[in-house]
Amino acid sequence: EGGVPACFANVLDGTALSPATSMRIIRRALRSEQNGGNAAQLLDIDPAETPGSWLLSPQEEVGHHDSITPLVGDGERHGNMFGTHPQEDALRELAFKFKAAGLQKDTQSLDGTVSTQTGGKFAELRYTKFKIAGFSGDKHVVFVPDNIKLSLPVLEQVCCALDRDMPGMLLCGMSSMSHPGNLSTPQLRSSPGFQELMEDARNSMGIKGDLPRHGFCGPKVEASSQLSSEAEVVDNKGLIDTANRVLEKRVSAAIGNIAHAARWTNVWIFSGPQVTNFEVFLHQCRESPESDVFHMVVGHMQDKAYTETETPRNLLKYLFDNSQVMSAEHVLKANPVNLQNDLWNPARSPHREFAEHGFERWSFESYNDERSKGHPITQWPWPHADLLLLFYREESPLDTNSACGPDWDYATKKKYDWDAIPFSPEELAPVGYVFIGGNELNMKRKLVQAVRMGSPVIIMDNTPNLPKQMSIFVRLIQKLWGRDPVNDLRLFMTEGANAKLGRKPSVADLLEAVLPSKIIHHIEELFDTSGMEDSERLTLSDVVGLIELVKRRPQTFRDRVCVVDPLRPHSNGHGSNDLMSVMSSHKTGFRETDSTVFHKSLVLKGWRLHRRLARRAKQLRNQGTALVMCIAFVMIINTCLSVLLVCAHIEKSQARIKELAYNLTLPVTSDSFEVSFTMSDTLQSLHMLMLVFPILAGLLHTIQGHFQLAQKYSGMHMAANQVVTEIHRFLMGVAPYKQNPGDNQRKFVSRLQELVKNLSLYGVREDDLMEDSVSAIDDFPQSAEALDQHVRQYVYNMQPEGQCSRRFRDIMVSLGRCTGASWTQLLGDVHETRDLTAPLTAEKYMEVRVLPMRKFYYDQMHKMHKVRITLYVLLAVSLSAGAALGASGFSLWIPVALSVATFATTMMQWLVPSENLSAVQSAMTTLNNLDLRWQGSDIKEHRSEVTRHRLVQTTERLAWAVESSFSGCATFPDLDQDEELKTAPVVSPEPASPRNHCRSFEVSGSRRSLSRSSSARASPQVMTPYGRPGTMTPLL
């Protein structure tokens, strides 16, 4: 009907697809038609599969509670979003039906005054699409009664109707109303960070003379000389204008990078009734398509600032009169209303400054300035925004059944009244901030509060006042994570702190050694605060509080506070990757606030348990290897003795003399020893040895079976690997640790206890886990370096550095710290000590788990190849020797050569069996693919919940499969399967449906291969030669 492709209609009619799944197919059909593709190709697409199947975003995940995905991409916002193809129209009509099915749920307001029923969908919301002459793109305005407090489900409906994904974060600008062309101040122009720009301005204007330099590398300059230099600059107004224009362009380029990062991370720009120069900078850089970020403005339609003059009041009335009840169909089909631009036309503006310069220049710096009165920026919401969310006061209805319009006689109590707006941006999404220098009141309070709350913060360096001070402080703190932090911070430390700090001091130790008074003195040296209000300056108490915050949550400060220097575009923090990392830092799942002392103690207990299991497993492995080698050598010796015995019998039978005596003489100094024996004596001795060695071999076999070394090693080894898995899952906060911190901690302890209980199935008693020294267990680990060394040695088989090498390195580093030499950084360890008890992000998990595991498997594969080649050479030599013995007439000694060949085969099966090599090679392939997909995806996908879950699940299942192959353990209990059996409800079998079929094939190829390795765990146990338990080769 209406041009729907027959193949697509058959799919919809013949299958029971969910609304979310059907919407995904419709979206692909629309994109296929727009790109000239064939809709019939959609038949081969799995409805549950999305591009980058292992890196689904939260909006793409299929489930009962998923939000409906939009029909078109985020970039298709301006103009007509769809074509006029009849098939596309029919598909869109079908899309609206699925949207209506997916939106049938009740959403009630938080204050209970009005409820929004989705039977009428957006019964209380009104919508208008409009255009403003002279402004690009279609704009949307949503009118909301101010007696409704918008809840998250209602906002999701609004985003769905507007064909937008829910924002990942809202980015707010914190600055003043100062025009971007008047951003610099005398104090800023005198700062050392501004000297390069001022010198360029002087050279471009032909002014001779250099401004004084500052910093630790040059002579210090007093404040009086700074002010005198600035007085010379003031005399030349053209120099100041040149510096302002250059700074405006540089800041605009930096804001463009921020907008580009926001667009790629699904971040919206959020503005309130009052806008700042941040919005002006955004408008300047919006000409680039890559910087065209979605912008939302919230205000009150009857704000006193908008209704006190006739022109903005009439514009708002006109928009409301042309509005209709909001629905997805109306948003799509509505034609934009043309709004007159008399308010923004400089030729018709009564404001003198705006009539002369327009938006290119204004002199006021705040809304309270009298010069701002009558300027269009103060009379109407920001006209460059994409979405206006305007609340309004309804008039008293004469008839309860009639719709209520706005009360145009009402006005808010004050201008730009935030209290009259029943909306909090935190209800829609997390909020981040961009701080640009200016004379904004309470900026210090807002900035310090944002840092304390762990909000993403971007600070624009080389802008006036507090952002400049805070930039100096943040760059100083960022040296804590440098290559040689002790040498970088030595000027700010107490006397003798260098000698007290260890070879690898922690962040807390470094912060303890830093003096806040030296830091604030350094900040005051680099920036003159004479032009700032006393309440807005960074004081000593503020520095102390910020340092204490960094001590408590160092990783949060490192990940969520970024400094952007517009004058140095290639500095750290300026790149799009750094900005996207900050904007998506709230999605990492990093819960440093949950990292309490009890949380760390539990993780340390887990590592202590792993230490006991790993060391005991290593002992059992060494004992088992020694026992197997002893048995093999005894059997070789037994074979040799058998051959000698046969040779002796043959020689005796062929002897002409019945009894032949043999004499052996051993000269010792002036004396000699003589031994005389006959062939009968030799045969008697050989007969006795032939009784001893078989008995010894049987005794060794009995010891091997009694102590069950191979079985205990398998259990210990798999338990140690499972402890590592549980620790990383606990630190990542993935299943089964996705509840509140208390429940996660209890579950972590219970799973470790269950793991220890499962060892009894392998004959392991509690006494076998006890170390020789109990005090050593309690003291481990004594430092983060000791724990990191244990993990590198027992998890990834990296041998520790030699004692002599470490001592030499320590001496040279200490000498370099005393002399301040920078070349000693080259002597520092390439490996950075990590805190293995802190919560992990996806990036940290790749760094501390996936990459070391890949390196470990790579080294292991090469070692296994070397051992196999050596044993193959021994096997070939022994077989060749046997053939040579047979050809030369010594066929009686062939069993000796064959026994050596059997020994080589046995050691090959014990040390490097073929299934181990296959498992490692398959693991290397999977990890390489995992790393390639990680490198090829953007940071938005890195920070998604589904990516974190699948990354951990894939890696840990892979480690389980490889370690089970190494240990030959086929039946070790899986805690996840046991928990599923305990918690799974008893239900009737669900009939097969396409949805269930799609869900079963939702995983990627690597997960399908891992499922086969999981099934290998339950395979029947077999015995390899010399008692080594084994199983079929696990397929990865």
Side-chain angles (χ1 to χ4, degrees), residues 130 132 135-136 139 344 359 376-377 380-386 388:
F130 67 98
I132 304 177
F135 295 84
S136 61
K139 305 182 184 304
W344 303 278
F359 286 104
I377 202 173
W380 216 76
W382 184 241
H384 297 281
D386 300 291
L388 302 179

Side-chain angles (χ1 to χ4, degrees), residues 107-313:
T107 305
Q108 297 187 359
S109 59
L110 296 179
D111 52 5
T113 55
V114 177
S115 62
T116 303
Q117 302 287 340
T118 55
K121 297 179 185 175
F122 312 93
E124 304 296 334
L125 308 180
R126 302 186 67 84
Y127 168 81
T128 304
K129 183 188 295 184
F130 67 98
K131 285 184 176 181
I132 304 177
F135 295 84
S136 61
D138 293 345
K139 305 182 184 304
H140 312 271
V141 56
V142 178
F143 298 99
V144 185
D146 61 3
N147 62 343
I148 293 180
K149 187 173 179 63
L150 290 184
S151 58
L152 183 60
V154 178
L155 293 172
E156 289 177 351
Q157 296 174 12
V158 173
C159 293
C160 184
L162 294 175
D163 198 23
R164 303 288 310 183
D165 286 336
M166 287 287 291
M169 189 182 75
L170 298 178
L171 193 62
C172 302
M174 292 293 173
S175 183
S176 65
M177 267 303 298
S178 176
H179 192 271
N182 300 325
L183 196 59
S184 68
T185 62
Q187 292 78 17
L188 181 64
R189 290 191 292 269
S190 299
S191 64
F194 227 76
Q195 298 310 303
E196 184 177 353
L197 187 148
M198 295 302 297
E199 289 178 2
D200 292 341
R202 282 173 175 269
N203 295 332
S204 64
M205 298 184 65
I207 301 176
K208 297 182 180 181
D210 294 332
L211 290 176
R213 295 182 177 273
H214 295 240
F216 291 105
C217 297
K220 295 183 179 179
V221 181
E222 301 296 335
S224 59
S225 62
Q226 297 178 23
L227 296 179
S228 63
S229 301
E230 179 59 31
E232 297 175 1
V233 176
V234 171
D235 294 337
N236 194 335
K237 188 176 181 299
L239 183 61
I240 298 177
D241 292 339
T242 302
N244 282 331
R245 286 195 300 269
V246 174
L247 180 62
E248 179 184 3
K249 292 180 180 179
R250 298 285 181 85
V251 175
S252 179
I255 296 297
N257 289 337
I258 295 176
H260 174 71
R263 182 173 180 268
W264 280 100
T265 52
N266 191 29
V267 173
W268 291 8
I269 304 299
F270 174 79
S271 301
Q274 296 181 351
V275 296
T276 64
N277 53 23
F278 173 67
E279 285 79 7
V280 181
F281 280 119
L282 278 174
H283 170 62
Q284 292 179 356
C285 66
R286 210 171 179 185
E287 297 178 357
S288 173
E290 295 182 353
S291 302
D292 190 9
V293 63
F294 193 80
H295 192 173
M296 181 180 71
V297 173
V298 175
H300 201 287
M301 188 175 65
Q302 292 132 321
D303 195 286
K304 187 177 181 180
Y306 306 153
T307 57
E308 63 181 3
T309 55
E310 194 68 23
T311 301
R313 179 188 179 96

Side-chain angles (χ1 to χ4, degrees), residues 12 20 25 37 146 162 173 233 246 308 315 341-342 395 434 520 524 549 563 727 731 747 787 795 800 850 916 992 1020:
L12 293 179
I25 299 177
D146 61 3
L162 294 175
V233 176
V246 174
E308 63 181 3
L315 291 176
N341 68 338
D342 295 345
E395 61 182 355
V434 178
I520 194 65
E524 291 174 353
L549 176 65
V563 176
I727 291 175
L731 295 178
K747 180 169 289 188
L787 178 59
V795 179
V850 178
N916 288 9

Side-chain angles (χ1 to χ4, degrees), residues 625-657:
T625 302
L627 196 59
V628 170
M629 294 184 68
C630 288
I631 294 174
F633 277 118
V634 167
M635 296 184 68
I636 292 177
I637 295 174
N638 197 17
T639 305
C640 295
L641 292 177
S642 301
V643 174
L644 287 175
L645 182 61
V646 173
C647 291
H649 277 288
I650 294 175
E651 185 175 354
K652 182 179 179 180
S653 62
Q654 295 178 354
R656 298 178 182 178
I657 304 175

Side-chain angles (χ1 to χ4, degrees), residues 482-485 487-488 503-504 801 805 808-817 820-831:
R483 185 177 181 87
D484 190 8
N487 200 24
D488 294 338
R503 188 166 63 99
K504 292 183 178 180
E801 186 181 8
S805 176
F808 174 76
R809 188 191 300 272
D810 292 343
I811 294 174
M812 297 303 295
V813 170
S814 300
L815 180 63
R817 289 177 183 176
S822 59
W823 57 267
T824 55
Q825 296 180 5
L826 301 176
L827 296 176
D829 289 346
V830 178
H831 174 74

